[in-house]
Amino acid sequence: MRAAWHYWRSGLLDFIYPPQCVTCHSSLDATDSPRICATCRLVMINDDVTPCVRCGGRVSPNPFGRYCRLCRGEKYSFERAVALGSYRGRLREAVYQLKRRNQESVGFQFGRLLGQLCNDSFKVEADFNCIAPLPSHRFRHWTRGMNPASVIAEGVAQETHVELIPDLLRSHRLTAKQGTLSRTGRLQNVKNSMGMNPRIDPRGLRVLLVDDVMATGATVNEAARTLRAAGIKKIFVALIARGTGTS
């Protein structure tokens, strides 16, 4: 598993060089884990607004119901989502960074932080018994050199001690980038774009889907819909960042 490689590589680098924060490169104590300093965690993750219990959004509370304005009226195929913070400022910059080639260590360390959040937010094993990244089309995987969601999922698995199934979902076709499309366009863009791996028996699986960002939720929801169509009933989502609805 690549997670073991990231863990081994991190230890080797710490032996040769003083450990550093993966985002600001400030010095860390050798015992700090994951490799994200307290200052960066405070700036990027600790928002003032309590997360929405359904979609993980951090916006002003909805006075008309239980859910926030980002997900009110939405029909999701997953049960709930958690996110480290809002997709803005330093956290948005970190997401850009972890998407770049040769920046796998950033995604892995943020995945470990996300795994800690999952340990606090879910009844691990009772809620989910496997972890799956959102799939990346082979062309996009080839141009980037990796799938960011897969690297993040490795970090989550490292912290939660839950089985990672990296190929549970597959991307059938190359879609346009969601950020360039309207809301309606995003829904159509990802419709029927994924499939369940036919070699994996879905019976008894309770899945935690992992991705970097959820904006409208179209991609994550399509993945969850695909899993439900295969017979999987319990699906949760873990994200590095949740969109704010402002971009």
Side-chain angles (χ1 to χ4, degrees):
M1 183 186 292
R2 288 182 58 178
W5 156 247
H6 291 304
Y7 199 73
W8 178 86
R9 179 176 179 270
S10 177
L12 178 62
L13 291 176
D14 289 349
F15 179 77
I16 299 173
Y17 306 104
Q20 294 182 333
C21 174
V22 293
T23 57
C24 72
H25 308 295
S26 62
S27 297
L28 294 174
D29 196 306
T31 59
D32 287 338
S33 179
R35 296 288 187 253
I36 303 169
C37 72
T39 300
C40 284
R41 295 189 198 198
L42 182 64
V43 170
M44 293 188 290
I45 296 167
N46 291 344
D47 291 341
D48 295 333
V49 179
T50 302
C52 174
V53 296
R54 186 186 186 209
C55 76
R58 286 168 170 84
V59 295
S60 299
N62 173 20
F64 304 106
R66 185 180 178 195
Y67 305 132
C68 75
R69 64 170 175 79
L70 294 177
C71 67
R72 184 179 59 192
E74 295 288 349
K75 294 182 179 180
Y76 292 141
S77 293
F78 55 86
E79 297 194 35
R80 61 176 293 221
V82 297
L84 289 177
S86 297
Y87 186 53
R88 61 189 181 198
R90 290 279 296 279
L91 189 57
R92 183 170 183 164
E93 293 171 10
V95 170
Y96 284 149
Q97 184 181 358
L98 65 86
K99 286 175 179 287
R100 300 190 192 112
R101 185 184 290 267
N102 299 322
Q103 293 295 314
E104 288 94 337
S105 61
V106 178
F108 180 68
Q109 295 299 331
F110 270 91
R112 294 185 68 188
L113 194 59
L114 183 56
Q116 292 176 357
L117 175 62
C118 290
N119 285 335
D120 294 336
S121 302
F122 296 111
K123 297 177 181 177
V124 179
E125 291 293 353
D127 282 343
F128 61 90
N129 59 9
C130 70
I131 295 168
L134 259 70
S136 175
H137 189 269
R138 58 184 178 273
F139 176 78
R140 194 156 285 145
H141 191 286
W142 176 74
T143 56
R144 280 181 173 165
M146 53 89 180
N147 175 13
S150 293
V151 178
I152 296 166
E154 289 171 11
V156 175
Q158 179 82 34
E159 291 296 321
T160 59
H161 306 290
V162 173
E163 179 186 9
L164 173 64
I165 307 180
D167 58 347
L168 182 65
L169 284 167
R170 294 176 171 178
S171 175
H172 287 327
R173 57 183 171 81
L174 183 63
T175 57
K177 290 187 177 182
Q178 289 285 81
T180 64
L181 304 172
S182 66
R183 180 181 181 79
T184 301
R186 291 185 186 204
L187 294 171
Q188 291 299 318
N189 186 45
V190 297
K191 187 175 182 179
N192 299 322
S193 64
M194 307 175 205
M196 172 87 177
N197 188 336
R199 295 180 299 176
I200 297 175
D201 186 351
R203 289 176 295 183
L205 292 184
R206 302 184 300 278
V207 182
L208 177 71
L209 283 172
V210 175
D211 201 12
D212 50 6
V213 180
M214 183 171 84
T216 63
T219 306
V220 172
N221 203 46
E222 178 64 19
R225 188 198 64 78
T226 301
L227 293 177
R228 285 201 180 274
I232 296 173
K233 303 300 183 184
K234 295 194 76 174
I235 304 161
F236 301 91
V237 176
L239 310 154
I240 299 299
R242 175 69 166 102
T244 62
T246 59
S247 62

